[in-house]
């Protein structure tokens, strides 16, 4: 099978939004079962379970708790956390275990019910916990305020106005309109974004992540799982991580970000360049981040991200679609699941199963996520049709074939 | 720990003791490495640039400029509701260390990147004084 001894063979997603009566564990279970079924695996065949803790109902030993809830006894359990980037980092670790032969498959999952379990005020208040306990927390900080420091710096360094970066939530919404599972699908304009409630200057409500319930799981499979997979297996071509700081008050320059380094490592490992990428997923918990990440990952020059987005190039039908599921801003933000939802959508695109929102001929996707306040950066390059056959054994005749 | 409905109160520990003692005296206490001249807020026992243990307290002159800032318009908790709008800023001290704090003493819309500021001190509790910054 050449270099690719493992691939993503299954994807499971719950609905997202305000899911009355949900619990984090129930969302986990639903996502995991769905992913296993998608891979053609029985839940009891899961050999490794990787999860990250719930913010609503944390457990001391989380992956073990999810396994117990599912009634399974995986050989390996791992609970991890690096903020929003967690899920991609978890995926990389799971991939290593499967490639190493430690387990025949591994499920990477994240789920939470921030909307119905915590609610808006409690979620906002919990976002203050991210600040350094001595040098940040005493000053009335919370995640949007800490990111706003970077947004203000970005606008100032490049002479870009708030109306320019507002193009990112607008573009995300255009994609969400085509995605039946996205939480927010109504049309959105730049004026709508700028007229929405100011949160922490220069950030307005509609360019900040929503608060959602939802869960997502991926199955990484070794050779046997790839053989059984009813879909096109999706390979990890390259991966990079960087951790330039943890607390924003300890950062060097706020822009460019650690995405430059994580991207460099991923491209180098894959032997690819930005021009080889067909579709991009940029973790935009805040709209301006999409612009910054597009620059840092080499899709345009420094300071040009907002123009790239405003040009329509990243919108549906454009030459470089970004966030075909609606991005963090319009698809959902249940916390750690957001990065997995990006991978899930990338997998659907590369399998050719996206129907009206299918990016024609997509064979290479880049997924980038970050965690903390620009602290942890993870870049993933996914592809089909390289070492593994473009069609899995059971997908002959397939569905939704890309042009 | 935090008090419900009240502001977060930092708990001094061995790593931050010199900083809080300095603040109580109206000083911003930094650490300077005797081996490589690197300046840092923490830790007190090892230089993050070169690894040396030769660290000594350096009292900042309290002067700096705004590296970036935000005006918070949505209170993150009930404790901050009365202070909205307020400024959170990253201040670059002349000694080359960046500090996150509040900028006070001017209308929130008059804060700008590059604005010169000087340290002032705000008492939070009997034991805890916070460095804040005012336009210089």
């Amino acid at each position: 099978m050449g270099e690719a001894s493992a691939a993503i063979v299954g994807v499971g997603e719950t609905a997202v939004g305000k899911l009355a009566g949900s619990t984090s564990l129930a969302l986990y279970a639903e996502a995991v079962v769905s992913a296993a079924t998608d891979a053609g695996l029985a839940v009891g065949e899961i050999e490794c379970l990787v999860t990250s803790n719930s913010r609503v109902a944390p457990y001391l030993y989380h992956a073990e708790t999810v396994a117990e809830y599912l009634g399974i006894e995986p050989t390996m359990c791992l609970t991890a956390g690096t903020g929003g980037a967690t899920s991609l980092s978890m995926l990389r670790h799971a991939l290593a275990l499967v490639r190493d032969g430690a387990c025949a498959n591994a499920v990477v999952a994240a789920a939470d019910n921030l909307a119905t379990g915590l609610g808006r005020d409690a979620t906002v208040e919990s976002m203050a916990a991210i600040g350094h306990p001595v040098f940040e927390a005493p000053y009335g900080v919370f995640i949007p305020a800490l990111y706003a420091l970077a947004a203000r710096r970005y606008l100032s360094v490049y002479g870009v106005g708030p109306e320019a970066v507002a193009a990112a939530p607008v573009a995300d919404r255009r994609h969400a309109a085509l995605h039946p599972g996205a939480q927010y699908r109504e049309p959105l304009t730049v004026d709508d974004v700028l007229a929405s409630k100011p949160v922490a200057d220069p950030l307005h409500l509609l360019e900040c992540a929503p608060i959602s319930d939802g869960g997502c799981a991926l199955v990484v499979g070794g050779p046997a799982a790839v053989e059984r997979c009813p879909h096109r297996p999706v390979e990890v071509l390259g991966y990079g991580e960087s951790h330039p700081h943890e607390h924003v008050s300890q950062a060097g320059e706020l822009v460019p970000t650690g995405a430059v380094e994580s991207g460099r490592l991923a491209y180098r490992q894959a032997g690819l360049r930005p021009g080889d990428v067909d579709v991009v997923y940029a973790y935009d918990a805040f709209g301006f981040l999409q612009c910054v990440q597009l620059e840092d990952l080499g899709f345009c020059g420094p300071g040009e991200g907002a123009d790239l987005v405003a040009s329509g190039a990243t919108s549906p039908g454009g030459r470089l679609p970004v966030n075909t599921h609606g991005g963090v801003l319009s698809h959902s933000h249940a916390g750690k699941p957001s990065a997995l939802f990006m991978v899930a959508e990338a997998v659907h695109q590369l399998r050719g199963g996206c129907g009206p929102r299918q990016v024609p001929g997509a064979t290479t996707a880049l997924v980038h996520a970050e965690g903390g306040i620009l602290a942890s950066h993870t870049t993933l390059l996914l592809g089909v049709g390289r070492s593994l056959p473009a069609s899995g054994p059971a997908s002959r005749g397939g569905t939704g074939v890309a042009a | 720990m935090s008090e419900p409905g009240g502001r977060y109160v930092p708990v001094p520990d061995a790593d931050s003791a010199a900083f809080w003692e300095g603040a109580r005296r109206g000083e911003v206490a930094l650490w300077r490495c005797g081996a490589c001249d690197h300046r840092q807020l923490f830790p007190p026992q090892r230089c993050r640039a070169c690894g040396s243990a030769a660290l000594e307290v350096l009292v900042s002159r309290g002067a700096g400029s705004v590296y970036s800032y935000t005006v918070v318009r949505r209170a993150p908790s009930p404790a901050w509701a009365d202070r909205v709008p307020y400024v959170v800023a990253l201040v670059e001290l002349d000694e080359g260390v960046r500090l996150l704090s509040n900028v006070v003493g001017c209308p929130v819309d008059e804060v700008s990147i590059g604005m010169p500021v000087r340290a002032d001190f705000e008492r939070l509790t009997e034991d805890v004084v916070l460095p804040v910054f005012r336009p210089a």
Side-chain angles (χ1 to χ4, degrees):
Chain A
M1 195 179 289
E3 286 252 2
S5 47
I8 298 173
V9 295
V11 168
E13 297 161 89
T14 71
V16 297
K18 292 184 176 52
L19 310 174
S22 63
T23 66
S24 175
L25 283 180
L27 291 169
Y28 257 104
E30 185 186 333
V32 171
V33 171
S34 175
T37 304
D38 187 60
L41 287 176
V43 172
E45 293 179 286
I46 294 173
E47 296 195 3
C48 173
L49 181 63
V50 185
T51 72
S52 57
N53 219 332
S54 163
R55 277 162 65 183
V56 175
Y59 288 87
L60 202 50
Y61 303 110
H62 189 264
E64 290 80 350
T65 301
V66 175
E68 174 185 77
Y69 190 88
L70 283 165
I72 64 173
E73 295 180 23
T75 305
M76 305 186 74
C77 280
L78 176 66
T79 307
T82 174
T86 298
S87 304
L88 298 200
S89 173
M90 286 158 44
L91 183 62
R92 181 61 185 92
H93 287 286
L95 189 72
L97 288 172
V98 174
R99 283 180 176 165
D100 183 57
C103 45
N105 61 67
V107 171
V108 175
D112 219 348
N113 56 329
L114 297 181
T116 56
L118 271 187
R120 180 164 296 275
D121 287 346
T123 300
V124 170
E125 208 164 328
S126 77
M127 289 199 275
I130 199 167
H132 190 287
V134 171
F135 296 108
E136 297 177 357
Y139 303 100
V141 301
F142 59 135
I143 292 177
L146 296 171
Y147 265 105
L149 295 171
R152 171 66 64 195
R153 187 76 193 172
Y154 174 75
L155 297 182
S156 172
V157 165
Y158 296 115
V160 170
E163 70 288 343
V165 294
V170 170
D172 275 352
R173 188 63 65 89
R174 290 197 193 109
H175 285 289
L178 299 174
H179 191 302
Q183 185 171 356
Y184 297 100
R185 306 182 63 204
E186 295 306 306
L188 186 70
T189 67
V190 167
D191 286 344
D192 292 335
V193 175
L194 298 178
S196 64
K197 269 198 193 145
V199 176
D201 291 353
L203 301 176
H204 305 80
L205 187 63
L206 289 177
E207 53 193 328
C208 300
I211 293 167
S212 315
D213 303 334
C216 187
L218 306 173
V219 183
V220 177
V226 168
E227 188 63 28
R228 278 165 74 176
C229 175
H231 311 281
R232 223 174 260 178
V234 173
E235 296 171 47
V236 174
L237 305 174
Y239 178 84
E241 248 184 54
S242 76
H243 302 268
H245 61 264
E246 172 50 30
H247 297 98
V248 75
S249 55
Q250 295 300 310
E253 293 302 324
L254 290 177
V255 290
T257 73
V260 173
E261 177 63 9
S262 67
R264 184 186 71 80
L265 291 170
Y267 285 126
R268 185 178 73 179
Q269 186 172 63
L272 294 175
R273 287 198 280 258
D276 298 317
V277 176
D278 299 315
V279 61
V280 177
Y281 296 87
Y283 188 89
D284 55 354
F286 300 92
F288 81 100
L289 282 182
Q290 187 186 124
C291 306
V292 171
Q293 288 165 14
L294 289 173
E295 296 167 20
D296 289 355
L297 294 165
F299 296 107
C300 60
E304 295 175 358
D307 281 348
L308 178 64
V309 176
S311 75
T314 65
S315 287
R319 65 172 174 78
L320 182 71
V322 174
N323 293 348
T324 63
H325 64 322
V328 176
L329 291 177
S330 283
H331 179 273
S332 67
H333 193 46
K336 298 192 196 84
S338 297
L340 282 188
F341 278 118
M342 294 197 298
V343 180
E345 176 68 5
V347 167
H348 290 309
Q349 287 286 351
L350 295 179
R351 286 177 178 178
C354 289
R357 70 180 194 281
Q358 178 65 46
V359 174
T363 60
T364 307
L366 181 148
V367 182
H368 181 82
E370 61 171 76
I373 312 298
L374 302 173
S376 297
H377 301 265
T378 53
T379 309
L380 184 68
L381 280 159
L382 300 172
V384 289
R386 268 82 166 181
S387 316
L388 299 174
S391 313
S395 74
R396 291 174 198 110
T399 56
V401 174
Chain B
M1 296 312 291
S2 67
E3 301 160 7
R7 274 178 64 167
Y8 169 84
V9 178
V11 179
D13 63 6
D15 274 357
S16 58
F19 180 80
W20 296 121
E21 282 158 21
R24 281 196 293 274
R25 283 196 303 270
E27 295 172 345
V28 176
L30 312 171
W31 291 98
R32 181 191 159 272
C33 177
C36 76
D37 199 39
H38 175 72
R39 291 94 191 275
Q40 62 192 34
L41 281 172
F42 62 84
Q45 69 281 100
R46 184 179 181 277
C47 175
R48 285 163 66 193
C50 75
S52 169
L55 294 178
E56 290 178 347
V57 171
L58 169 65
V59 174
S60 167
R61 288 186 315 109
S65 64
V66 172
Y67 174 81
S68 192
Y69 72 98
T70 180
V71 180
V72 176
R73 303 203 185 260
R74 192 236 195 260
S77 67
W80 286 85
D82 292 342
R83 288 185 59 139
V84 165
Y86 59 90
V87 175
V88 171
L90 286 170
V91 172
E92 187 100 18
L93 294 171
D94 290 350
E95 288 83 5
V97 171
R98 217 177 277 164
L99 206 54
L100 186 146
S101 186
N102 298 123
V103 173
V104 299
C106 69
V108 295
D109 295 313
E110 287 182 14
V111 178
S112 61
I113 290 181
M115 188 171 103
V117 290
R118 61 177 169 78
D120 199 349
F121 296 85
E122 191 181 283
R123 179 165 291 281
L124 185 62
T125 68
E126 211 178 283
D127 298 317
V128 178
V129 171
L130 300 178
V132 295
F133 289 85
R134 300 182 164 276

